[in-house]
Amino acid sequence: MKRIFVASILILLALAAFPAFSQQAKILDPLATSIKNPSDMYPFRLDVVKVYQHSLGYRVVYRVGESDFADAYIPIEWFKAGGKAQLIRSNDPSHPYMVVYYREGKFSHVRLFVKDFPKDPTWGILEPGPDVAAKFKVEEIVPKY
């Protein structure tokens, strides 16, 4: 009885070893992973300080480096379905921020992640002025960094 039990264990161990030999060779670096379908999009994340609403769009003030700020103007026409921009409202603590996407080195679209509560200190209203309309006439966002 012991011989049958030992023989069956040895046979099971031998059969279990076959799938290990049939697998592909492992990558030399154990931490490396291979990407099956690499994207042609390149995301660029910007930390937003304040978002100003206007009837023509949004003025986004974002952080540049450690102590400087820059702004980007996003026209309201970009926020239509299939447009160049998407506004995502949430109460996530990481909001507000903005992700600018590039495809083959050219501007593709932008996603603006903002707080859902309109009275949050990160929201503001852009005062009307004579040159405000000209600032919203943009074709792409070119972030400073």
Side-chain angles (χ1 to χ4, degrees):
M1 187 70 163
K2 286 184 178 181
R3 289 183 187 179
I4 295 174
F5 181 71
V6 171
S8 63
I9 295 292
L10 289 174
I11 291 172
L12 287 174
L13 287 174
L15 292 175
F18 285 122
F21 294 113
S22 67
Q23 293 179 358
Q24 294 178 352
K26 290 187 176 183
I27 301 173
L28 296 177
D29 185 4
L31 299 176
T33 58
S34 62
I35 299 173
K36 292 182 181 179
N37 297 321
S39 176
D40 60 343
M41 301 295 279
Y42 176 77
F44 188 75
R45 186 183 188 277
L46 299 166
D47 291 327
V48 173
V49 178
K50 198 158 183 112
V51 178
Y52 294 94
Q53 294 178 340
H54 192 271
S55 62
L56 297 174
Y58 296 96
R59 175 185 172 219
V60 180
V61 179
Y62 60 92
R63 191 176 312 276
V64 176
E66 292 183 16
S67 62
D68 202 11
F69 301 100
D71 53 0
Y73 289 85
I74 306 174
I76 199 73
E77 295 87 27
W78 287 12
F79 290 95
K80 65 181 181 181
K84 293 182 181 181
Q86 183 179 14
L87 184 68
I88 301 163
R89 296 175 181 258
S90 173
N91 288 322
D92 192 296
S94 66
H95 291 29
Y97 67 93
M98 178 170 64
V99 181
V100 181
Y101 291 90
Y102 293 93
R103 177 177 281 140
E104 298 175 1
K106 296 180 183 175
F107 174 76
S108 174
H109 63 282
V110 62
R111 287 186 177 157
L112 181 59
F113 296 84
V114 296
K115 293 280 188 182
D116 193 27
F117 186 60
K119 294 194 178 192
D120 190 80
T122 59
W123 279 105
I125 296 176
L126 185 61
E127 297 296 326
D131 59 339
V132 173
K135 291 182 180 180
F136 282 105
K137 293 182 180 179
V138 294
E139 294 297 320
E140 65 181 2
I141 295 177
V142 182
K144 299 174 186 170
Y145 44 91

mmCIF file with all atom_site columns, all heavy atoms in Angstrom, residues 129-143:
data_model
loop_
_atom_site.group_PDB
_atom_site.id
_atom_site.type_symbol
_atom_site.label_atom_id
_atom_site.label_alt_id
_atom_site.label_comp_id
_atom_site.label_asym_id
_atom_site.label_entity_id
_atom_site.label_seq_id
_atom_site.pdbx_PDB_ins_code
_atom_site.Cartn_x
_atom_site.Cartn_y
_atom_site.Cartn_z
_atom_site.occupancy
_atom_site.B_iso_or_equiv
_atom_site.pdbx_formal_charge
_atom_site.auth_seq_id
_atom_site.auth_comp_id
_atom_site.auth_asym_id
_atom_site.auth_atom_id
_atom_site.pdbx_PDB_model_num
ATOM 1   N N   . GLY A 1 129 ? -14.037 91.556 -19.107 1.00 0.00 ? 129 GLY A N   1
ATOM 2   C CA  . GLY A 1 129 ? -13.093 92.600 -19.476 1.00 0.00 ? 129 GLY A CA  1
ATOM 3   C C   . GLY A 1 129 ? -12.992 92.709 -20.980 1.00 0.00 ? 129 GLY A C   1
ATOM 4   O O   . GLY A 1 129 ? -13.506 91.855 -21.719 1.00 0.00 ? 129 GLY A O   1
ATOM 5   N N   . PRO A 1 130 ? -12.309 93.729 -21.462 1.00 0.00 ? 130 PRO A N   1
ATOM 6   C CA  . PRO A 1 130 ? -12.239 93.939 -22.911 1.00 0.00 ? 130 PRO A CA  1
ATOM 7   C C   . PRO A 1 130 ? -11.406 92.885 -23.643 1.00 0.00 ? 130 PRO A C   1
ATOM 8   O O   . PRO A 1 130 ? -11.683 92.571 -24.796 1.00 0.00 ? 130 PRO A O   1
ATOM 9   C CB  . PRO A 1 130 ? -11.606 95.318 -23.042 1.00 0.00 ? 130 PRO A CB  1
ATOM 10  C CG  . PRO A 1 130 ? -10.868 95.523 -21.770 1.00 0.00 ? 130 PRO A CG  1
ATOM 11  C CD  . PRO A 1 130 ? -11.616 94.766 -20.714 1.00 0.00 ? 130 PRO A CD  1
ATOM 12  N N   . ASP A 1 131 ? -10.405 92.303 -22.996 1.00 0.00 ? 131 ASP A N   1
ATOM 13  C CA  . ASP A 1 131 ? -9.529  91.364 -23.691 1.00 0.00 ? 131 ASP A CA  1
ATOM 14  C C   . ASP A 1 131 ? -9.790  89.910 -23.317 1.00 0.00 ? 131 ASP A C   1
ATOM 15  O O   . ASP A 1 131 ? -9.055  89.015 -23.732 1.00 0.00 ? 131 ASP A O   1
ATOM 16  C CB  . ASP A 1 131 ? -8.070  91.715 -23.417 1.00 0.00 ? 131 ASP A CB  1
ATOM 17  C CG  . ASP A 1 131 ? -7.745  91.690 -21.930 1.00 0.00 ? 131 ASP A CG  1
ATOM 18  O OD1 . ASP A 1 131 ? -8.681  91.804 -21.120 1.00 0.00 ? 131 ASP A OD1 1
ATOM 19  O OD2 . ASP A 1 131 ? -6.557  91.554 -21.598 1.00 0.00 ? 131 ASP A OD2 1
ATOM 20  N N   . VAL A 1 132 ? -10.849 89.643 -22.559 1.00 0.00 ? 132 VAL A N   1
ATOM 21  C CA  . VAL A 1 132 ? -11.139 88.275 -22.124 1.00 0.00 ? 132 VAL A CA  1
ATOM 22  C C   . VAL A 1 132 ? -11.543 87.405 -23.313 1.00 0.00 ? 132 VAL A C   1
ATOM 23  O O   . VAL A 1 132 ? -11.113 86.251 -23.430 1.00 0.00 ? 132 VAL A O   1
ATOM 24  C CB  . VAL A 1 132 ? -12.229 88.266 -21.035 1.00 0.00 ? 132 VAL A CB  1
ATOM 25  C CG1 . VAL A 1 132 ? -12.656 86.851 -20.700 1.00 0.00 ? 132 VAL A CG1 1
ATOM 26  C CG2 . VAL A 1 132 ? -11.721 88.966 -19.792 1.00 0.00 ? 132 VAL A CG2 1
ATOM 27  N N   . ALA A 1 133 ? -12.336 87.905 -24.211 1.00 0.00 ? 133 ALA A N   1
ATOM 28  C CA  . ALA A 1 133 ? -12.804 87.128 -25.362 1.00 0.00 ? 133 ALA A CA  1
ATOM 29  C C   . ALA A 1 133 ? -11.636 86.670 -26.234 1.00 0.00 ? 133 ALA A C   1
ATOM 30  O O   . ALA A 1 133 ? -11.646 85.552 -26.758 1.00 0.00 ? 133 ALA A O   1
ATOM 31  C CB  . ALA A 1 133 ? -13.786 87.946 -26.185 1.00 0.00 ? 133 ALA A CB  1
ATOM 32  N N   . ALA A 1 134 ? -10.611 87.506 -26.370 1.00 0.00 ? 134 ALA A N   1
ATOM 33  C CA  . ALA A 1 134 ? -9.458  87.132 -27.189 1.00 0.00 ? 134 ALA A CA  1
ATOM 34  C C   . ALA A 1 134 ? -8.662  85.995 -26.560 1.00 0.00 ? 134 ALA A C   1
ATOM 35  O O   . ALA A 1 134 ? -8.069  85.174 -27.265 1.00 0.00 ? 134 ALA A O   1
ATOM 36  C CB  . ALA A 1 134 ? -8.556  88.345 -27.397 1.00 0.00 ? 134 ALA A CB  1
ATOM 37  N N   . LYS A 1 135 ? -8.640  85.911 -25.231 1.00 0.00 ? 135 LYS A N   1
ATOM 38  C CA  . LYS A 1 135 ? -7.882  84.861 -24.544 1.00 0.00 ? 135 LYS A CA  1
ATOM 39  C C   . LYS A 1 135 ? -8.515  83.487 -24.715 1.00 0.00 ? 135 LYS A C   1
ATOM 40  O O   . LYS A 1 135 ? -7.830  82.476 -24.608 1.00 0.00 ? 135 LYS A O   1
ATOM 41  C CB  . LYS A 1 135 ? -7.741  85.213 -23.070 1.00 0.00 ? 135 LYS A CB  1
ATOM 42  C CG  . LYS A 1 135 ? -6.843  86.407 -22.845 1.00 0.00 ? 135 LYS A CG  1
ATOM 43  C CD  . LYS A 1 135 ? -6.680  86.693 -21.378 1.00 0.00 ? 135 LYS A CD  1
ATOM 44  C CE  . LYS A 1 135 ? -5.765  87.891 -21.198 1.00 0.00 ? 135 LYS A CE  1
ATOM 45  N NZ  . LYS A 1 135 ? -5.561  88.238 -19.797 1.00 0.00 ? 135 LYS A NZ  1
ATOM 46  N N   . PHE A 1 136 ? -9.818  83.448 -24.959 1.00 0.00 ? 136 PHE A N   1
ATOM 47  C CA  . PHE A 1 136 ? -10.497 82.165 -25.146 1.00 0.00 ? 136 PHE A CA  1
ATOM 48  C C   . PHE A 1 136 ? -10.440 81.671 -26.592 1.00 0.00 ? 136 PHE A C   1
ATOM 49  O O   . PHE A 1 136 ? -10.928 80.590 -26.880 1.00 0.00 ? 136 PHE A O   1
ATOM 50  C CB  . PHE A 1 136 ? -11.952 82.250 -24.678 1.00 0.00 ? 136 PHE A CB  1
ATOM 51  C CG  . PHE A 1 136 ? -12.103 82.168 -23.193 1.00 0.00 ? 136 PHE A CG  1
ATOM 52  C CD1 . PHE A 1 136 ? -12.397 83.296 -22.456 1.00 0.00 ? 136 PHE A CD1 1
ATOM 53  C CD2 . PHE A 1 136 ? -11.936 80.970 -22.524 1.00 0.00 ? 136 PHE A CD2 1
ATOM 54  C CE1 . PHE A 1 136 ? -12.545 83.235 -21.086 1.00 0.00 ? 136 PHE A CE1 1
ATOM 55  C CE2 . PHE A 1 136 ? -12.076 80.891 -21.159 1.00 0.00 ? 136 PHE A CE2 1
ATOM 56  C CZ  . PHE A 1 136 ? -12.375 82.030 -20.430 1.00 0.00 ? 136 PHE A CZ  1
ATOM 57  N N   . LYS A 1 137 ? -9.850  82.423 -27.481 1.00 0.00 ? 137 LYS A N   1
ATOM 58  C CA  . LYS A 1 137 ? -9.723  81.991 -28.879 1.00 0.00 ? 137 LYS A CA  1
ATOM 59  C C   . LYS A 1 137 ? -8.403  81.245 -29.038 1.00 0.00 ? 137 LYS A C   1
ATOM 60  O O   . LYS A 1 137 ? -7.427  81.760 -29.561 1.00 0.00 ? 137 LYS A O   1
ATOM 61  C CB  . LYS A 1 137 ? -9.800  83.189 -29.813 1.00 0.00 ? 137 LYS A CB  1
ATOM 62  C CG  . LYS A 1 137 ? -11.163 83.828 -29.805 1.00 0.00 ? 137 LYS A CG  1
ATOM 63  C CD  . LYS A 1 137 ? -11.267 84.978 -30.758 1.00 0.00 ? 137 LYS A CD  1
ATOM 64  C CE  . LYS A 1 137 ? -12.671 85.550 -30.667 1.00 0.00 ? 137 LYS A CE  1
ATOM 65  N NZ  . LYS A 1 137 ? -12.874 86.687 -31.529 1.00 0.00 ? 137 LYS A NZ  1
ATOM 66  N N   . VAL A 1 138 ? -8.393  79.999 -28.583 1.00 0.00 ? 138 VAL A N   1
ATOM 67  C CA  . VAL A 1 138 ? -7.192  79.165 -28.647 1.00 0.00 ? 138 VAL A CA  1
ATOM 68  C C   . VAL A 1 138 ? -7.506  77.892 -29.429 1.00 0.00 ? 138 VAL A C   1
ATOM 69  O O   . VAL A 1 138 ? -8.656  77.446 -29.493 1.00 0.00 ? 138 VAL A O   1
ATOM 70  C CB  . VAL A 1 138 ? -6.678  78.805 -27.231 1.00 0.00 ? 138 VAL A CB  1
ATOM 71  C CG1 . VAL A 1 138 ? -6.192  80.039 -26.511 1.00 0.00 ? 138 VAL A CG1 1
ATOM 72  C CG2 . VAL A 1 138 ? -7.728  78.097 -26.426 1.00 0.00 ? 138 VAL A CG2 1
ATOM 73  N N   . GLU A 1 139 ? -6.492  77.327 -30.017 1.00 0.00 ? 139 GLU A N   1
ATOM 74  C CA  . GLU A 1 139 ? -6.638  76.076 -30.762 1.00 0.00 ? 139 GLU A CA  1
ATOM 75  C C   . GLU A 1 139 ? -6.091  74.876 -29.984 1.00 0.00 ? 139 GLU A C   1
ATOM 76  O O   . GLU A 1 139 ? -6.473  73.747 -30.236 1.00 0.00 ? 139 GLU A O   1
ATOM 77  C CB  . GLU A 1 139 ? -5.924  76.172 -32.111 1.00 0.00 ? 139 GLU A CB  1
ATOM 78  C CG  . GLU A 1 139 ? -6.549  77.184 -33.051 1.00 0.00 ? 139 GLU A CG  1
ATOM 79  C CD  . GLU A 1 139 ? -7.973  76.815 -33.432 1.00 0.00 ? 139 GLU A CD  1
ATOM 80  O OE1 . GLU A 1 139 ? -8.254  75.621 -33.651 1.00 0.00 ? 139 GLU A OE1 1
ATOM 81  O OE2 . GLU A 1 139 ? -8.814  77.727 -33.490 1.00 0.00 ? 139 GLU A OE2 1
ATOM 82  N N   . GLU A 1 140 ? -5.167  75.151 -29.060 1.00 0.00 ? 140 GLU A N   1
ATOM 83  C CA  . GLU A 1 140 ? -4.569  74.084 -28.265 1.00 0.00 ? 140 GLU A CA  1
ATOM 84  C C   . GLU A 1 140 ? -4.067  74.658 -26.957 1.00 0.00 ? 140 GLU A C   1
ATOM 85  O O   . GLU A 1 140 ? -3.918  75.869 -26.801 1.00 0.00 ? 140 GLU A O   1
ATOM 86  C CB  . GLU A 1 140 ? -3.409  73.422 -29.024 1.00 0.00 ? 140 GLU A CB  1
ATOM 87  C CG  . GLU A 1 140 ? -2.238  74.325 -29.287 1.00 0.00 ? 140 GLU A CG  1
ATOM 88  C CD  . GLU A 1 140 ? -1.122  73.639 -30.055 1.00 0.00 ? 140 GLU A CD  1
ATOM 89  O OE1 . GLU A 1 140 ? -1.293  72.453 -30.404 1.00 0.00 ? 140 GLU A OE1 1
ATOM 90  O OE2 . GLU A 1 140 ? -0.096  74.266 -30.276 1.00 0.00 ? 140 GLU A OE2 1
ATOM 91  N N   . ILE A 1 141 ? -3.815  73.760 -26.007 1.00 0.00 ? 141 ILE A N   1
ATOM 92  C CA  . ILE A 1 141 ? -3.252  74.168 -24.726 1.00 0.00 ? 141 ILE A CA  1
ATOM 93  C C   . ILE A 1 141 ? -1.778  73.815 -24.736 1.00 0.00 ? 141 ILE A C   1
ATOM 94  O O   . ILE A 1 141 ? -1.399  72.668 -24.996 1.00 0.00 ? 141 ILE A O   1
ATOM 95  C CB  . ILE A 1 141 ? -3.971  73.459 -23.572 1.00 0.00 ? 141 ILE A CB  1
ATOM 96  C CG1 . ILE A 1 141 ? -5.424  73.917 -23.518 1.00 0.00 ? 141 ILE A CG1 1
ATOM 97  C CG2 . ILE A 1 141 ? -3.273  73.722 -22.252 1.00 0.00 ? 141 ILE A CG2 1
ATOM 98  C CD1 . ILE A 1 141 ? -6.242  73.235 -22.473 1.00 0.00 ? 141 ILE A CD1 1
ATOM 99  N N   . VAL A 1 142 ? -0.957  74.817 -24.475 1.00 0.00 ? 142 VAL A N   1
ATOM 100 C CA  . VAL A 1 142 ? 0.492   74.618 -24.398 1.00 0.00 ? 142 VAL A CA  1
ATOM 101 C C   . VAL A 1 142 ? 0.907   74.929 -22.971 1.00 0.00 ? 142 VAL A C   1
ATOM 102 O O   . VAL A 1 142 ? 1.093   76.091 -22.611 1.00 0.00 ? 142 VAL A O   1
ATOM 103 C CB  . VAL A 1 142 ? 1.248   75.529 -25.396 1.00 0.00 ? 142 VAL A CB  1
ATOM 104 C CG1 . VAL A 1 142 ? 2.739   75.272 -25.328 1.00 0.00 ? 142 VAL A CG1 1
ATOM 105 C CG2 . VAL A 1 142 ? 0.724   75.328 -26.804 1.00 0.00 ? 142 VAL A CG2 1
ATOM 106 N N   . PRO A 1 143 ? 1.021   73.887 -22.128 1.00 0.00 ? 143 PRO A N   1
ATOM 107 C CA  . PRO A 1 143 ? 1.353   74.141 -20.726 1.00 0.00 ? 143 PRO A CA  1
ATOM 108 C C   . PRO A 1 143 ? 2.805   74.605 -20.537 1.00 0.00 ? 143 PRO A C   1
ATOM 109 O O   . PRO A 1 143 ? 3.701   74.196 -21.263 1.00 0.00 ? 143 PRO A O   1
ATOM 110 C CB  . PRO A 1 143 ? 1.109   72.814 -20.043 1.00 0.00 ? 143 PRO A CB  1
ATOM 111 C CG  . PRO A 1 143 ? 1.165   71.806 -21.101 1.00 0.00 ? 143 PRO A CG  1
ATOM 112 C CD  . PRO A 1 143 ? 0.811   72.478 -22.390 1.00 0.00 ? 143 PRO A CD  1
#
